[in-house]
Amino acid sequence: MANELFNWLYRDIEDQARVILEPSNYNYYRSGATRERTLARSKDSWASYDFVPRIPIERKTVSSRSQFCSVELATPLYVAPMAFQSLLNSGAESQFALAANLVNVPYCLSSRTTTSISEVAEIASDEAERRRLFGQLSGFHKHMLEHFWQADEAISSGAKLFFQVYFMAEREVTFQLAEEAQLNGFSLFLLTVDTPVLGMRLSDLKMGFVPPEGYADKLYDRLVREGRLSSAKSADDIPFQPKSRDNALNQDPGIGLGALRLLKARVDLPVAAKGVIRQSDLYGALAEGADGVVISNHGGRQLDDTVLTADALWRLWDNFESSRISVDGGISNGADVVKALCMGASSVGIGRNAAWAFAVGGALGLASYLIELRIEIEYVMTLLGVASVSELGRSDITLSSRT
Ligand SMILES: Cc1cc2nc3c(=O)[nH]c(=O)nc-3n(C[C@H](O)[C@H](O)[C@H](O)COP(=O)(O)O)c2cc1C
């Protein structure tokens, strides 16, 4: 059993993914904006903070249970939305969601999905698929997962799916996607507000990366056929932007935080604003009706030289109701996750590391990675001297004197 331990969390899955994936597909997942300085620095950003462990008074069972907006989380994780998962492995978004859901970790489906929303929802909770995947796990992972399931019994078993919304120039497609997600049992929307246009991913352009057709394109075609779309959108040639149906499916560059109110008027689920960095925007998002915010710089893919999310969280957010705050960017292990919780977030999104695990090992790789991540989160909490997420706070962490 010893060599089954931490096989995913502590091996270089990105290196393995680089060997397996077609080079321009690997690069699309790896890349950041222009000089990639934010991307490079974000990898070690959480290491700039050190724990200040407590001596626990009594031994208690550790629980990493948490909440984001009104969604209960068995552990403070979800898989961040990432476009075009058919580039990574067979089964694409459906198998990605299945693996996360097996471990009770919500999966956030991107608007740029290659698989239909209903198929993702169906496979993610399909009993036979779950049993098949469970059967493939190693003895160690099976054992730990059963232990987690027991601990999670009280958590409502329903949907563990979030949907990421891009406010597209063709609004009807945006709304149709959101309504479809709601109908299919998704529980939270992440409305991305940091992407008026796509960042300049120069290496993707150099490698001639071409995005695969997404589900929104199919929906667009259907709505056009049915005569349900407004007039054709501008075909302006915006530099560095992929041409998408005369730009109808590109993000609406002028929508801003006002999109929150428009989306909330159409759907009945909580909505969090994803991509907030400044405190004034956090207040702005809440004023526009956001139920929460995700502090994110889009994994260094938008504006290069943007402040790192660990630093943004550390400097700016200390007095908010933590169940409204989430963060992503460069998080790769349990210590990073617990540091984010100490700084005031209630959950974190895992982006590329989840993608590498899925690329290397499919649903089995991702499930194993997430199980190991949860083990480490609870282990770190134990060593830090806390038994629950609500006990974590600023005094448990300090900015390292070495940085
Ligand atoms: C390949 C790739 C595609 C992404 N696609 C989306 C997307 O469609 N919508 C979105 O809001 N964020 C998208 N993101 C950003 C992630 O949701 C997340 O903010 C970021 O990856 C977190 O950083 P990490 O990769 O260092 O964990 C994407 C990120 C990557 C790497």
Side-chain angles (χ1 to χ4, degrees), residues 44 63 110 116 137 150 261 277 295 319 323 372:
D44 274 334
S63 160
S110 164
S116 77
L137 290 171
Q150 254 174 20
R261 213 169 274 288
I277 292 288
I295 293 147
N319 272 327
S323 66
E372 293 180 7

Side-chain angles (χ1 to χ4, degrees), residues 70-372:
S70 51
V71 181
E72 278 193 274
L73 303 171
T75 196
L77 300 174
Y78 58 89
V79 174
M82 285 174 287
F84 308 135
Q85 291 172 3
S86 61
L87 302 177
L88 291 173
N89 212 324
S90 58
E93 287 84 1
S94 303
Q95 289 296 314
F96 220 119
L98 171 74
N101 272 219
L102 188 78
V103 190
N104 275 348
V105 170
Y107 166 83
C108 186
L109 181 66
S110 164
S111 269
R112 306 288 182 212
T113 174
T114 52
T115 312
S116 77
I117 293 170
S118 57
E119 186 182 326
V120 172
E122 198 181 308
I123 303 280
S125 56
D126 183 279
E127 255 321 303
E129 287 277 330
R130 285 170 65 92
R131 269 200 303 277
R132 182 188 55 76
L133 180 54
F134 181 78
Q136 292 173 353
L137 290 171
S138 75
F140 166 67
H141 292 113
K142 269 192 190 126
H143 171 76
M144 291 310 299
L145 187 54
E146 279 175 328
H147 165 76
F148 288 145
W149 283 346
Q150 254 174 20
D152 299 346
E153 218 165 26
I155 294 210
S156 56
S157 57
K160 294 175 213 81
L161 296 168
F162 301 166
F163 188 72
Q164 178 267 328
V165 177
Y166 274 132
F167 226 85
M168 299 176 198
E170 185 48 79
R171 288 191 185 174
E172 200 43 38
V173 176
T174 306
F175 290 138
Q176 292 264 336
L177 290 170
E179 284 169 358
E180 200 177 330
Q182 181 170 322
L183 265 174
N184 279 281
F186 284 56
S187 50
L188 175 68
F189 289 112
L190 301 187
L191 174 67
T192 303
V193 291
D194 62 6
T195 316
V197 292
L198 281 191
M200 289 163 53
R201 319 232 175 103
L202 298 178
S203 59
D204 286 334
L205 292 169
K206 270 191 205 136
M207 294 186 81
F209 173 73
V210 183
E213 192 176 78
Y215 179 58
D217 301 70
K218 290 186 189 137
L219 180 61
Y220 179 81
D221 284 344
R222 183 161 63 74
L223 294 176
V224 168
R225 268 200 316 277
E226 292 169 3
R228 289 166 59 198
L229 282 188
S230 51
S231 57
K233 297 290 162 184
S234 118
D236 291 352
D237 209 357
I238 311 173
F240 307 108
Q241 303 305 300
K243 259 277 193 297
S244 175
R245 309 299 162 114
D246 292 338
N247 293 333
L249 301 183
N250 282 342
Q251 283 86 284
D252 179 344
I255 187 74
L257 291 175
L260 285 159
R261 213 169 274 288
L262 294 173
L263 181 63
K264 284 198 73 117
R266 282 291 285 255
V267 293
D268 283 330
L269 292 176
V271 178
K274 174 175 182 282
V276 171
I277 292 288
R278 293 171 76 105
Q279 200 163 37
S280 56
D281 284 333
L282 178 111
Y283 285 122
L286 297 178
E288 289 288 343
D291 298 277
V293 296
V294 182
I295 293 147
S296 171
N297 57 30
H298 215 103
R301 293 163 79 81
Q302 285 300 103
L303 177 63
D304 204 11
D305 293 326
T306 289
V307 64
L308 301 175
T309 52
D311 299 340
L313 188 60
W314 174 252
R315 287 185 208 141
L316 299 176
W317 283 278
D318 55 353
N319 272 327
F320 294 100
E321 205 185 319
S322 76
S323 66
R324 302 183 93 173
I325 310 287
S326 182
V327 64
D328 71 23
I331 293 168
S332 65
N333 59 59
D336 295 348
V337 176
V338 177
K339 287 175 188 178
L341 302 179
C342 293
M343 292 185 196
S346 66
S347 61
V348 310
I350 307 291
R352 292 182 186 82
N353 285 300
W356 306 141
F358 183 68
V360 173
L364 175 62
L366 180 63
S368 307
Y369 172 81
L370 291 172
I371 291 168
E372 293 180 7

